[in-house]
Amino acid sequence: SHPPSSDHLPPDLSYISTHCGGRALVGLVGGGVMGLGMGVFLGAMSDMTPPVTVYRGKEVPQAPVKEQAAAVLRQTGEKSLYWMRNFAFITGVFGGSECVVEKIRGRNDVWNSTISGCVTGAAIQAKQGPQAAAMGCVGFAAFSVVIDKIMGH
């Protein structure tokens, strides 16, 4: 009857969900993985080989299969990175800002996600100038409210 040793206990990862940096990191990684999957799916769907082209009654020759495959792979990779970066940014900013807002306000209600949506929308549009950032804020805040209502929060 020995006391349980600490090396047999699973690691305590609760700090990830209680610290804003951890929540932002989880959003960043989760969004990145989701965006990567989305990019692979959309890239594969949009890069399908077109039907045989006929021009003036003659079949237009297509590139060799190896070249077509390389082009599809390259385009799918580019789309995957694009979606991965965007989803990671959005989920990281939203998750981190929602945590900060919740800690400052001391409450967990629809206003947290509304404010976080505003921060995220403004961050997405920040490079386009203050007017675009304001529109991004309003749009993403409204989107966040709708999602909260759908999710039942």
Side-chain angles (χ1 to χ4, degrees):
S1 73
H2 298 288
S5 67
S6 62
D7 50 322
H8 286 55
L9 296 174
D12 179 21
L13 300 176
S14 63
Y15 65 90
I16 291 176
S17 63
T18 57
H19 289 82
C20 295
R23 284 169 69 177
L25 183 65
V26 167
L28 195 77
V29 172
V33 169
M34 193 168 97
L36 187 64
M38 187 98 143
V40 168
F41 176 73
L42 292 174
M45 294 300 285
S46 67
D47 296 328
M48 293 177 136
T49 307
V52 174
T53 308
V54 177
Y55 181 72
R56 293 188 181 183
K58 293 183 179 175
E59 190 177 306
V60 176
Q62 294 185 349
V65 174
K66 192 174 182 180
E67 282 181 35
Q68 287 181 26
V72 166
L73 198 60
R74 184 177 60 255
Q75 290 171 354
T76 300
E78 288 169 5
K79 282 186 178 156
S80 296
L81 287 174
Y82 168 82
W83 284 100
M84 183 179 78
R85 278 193 305 268
N86 286 315
F87 270 78
F89 179 79
I90 290 168
T91 55
V93 171
F94 187 88
S97 63
E98 186 177 37
C99 178
V100 169
V101 169
E102 185 178 325
K103 295 228 187 262
I104 290 171
R105 294 184 68 238
R107 279 181 242 155
N108 186 359
D109 57 20
V110 71
W111 286 106
N112 294 350
S113 58
T114 305
I115 295 166
S116 300
C118 174
V119 169
T120 304
I124 291 168
Q125 296 296 326
K127 289 181 182 177
Q128 276 36 8
Q131 198 169 9
M135 291 302 294
C137 164
V138 170
F140 221 91
F143 177 73
S144 297
V145 169
V146 169
I147 293 300
D148 252 21
K149 295 296 179 195
I150 290 171
M151 301 299 281
H153 294 147

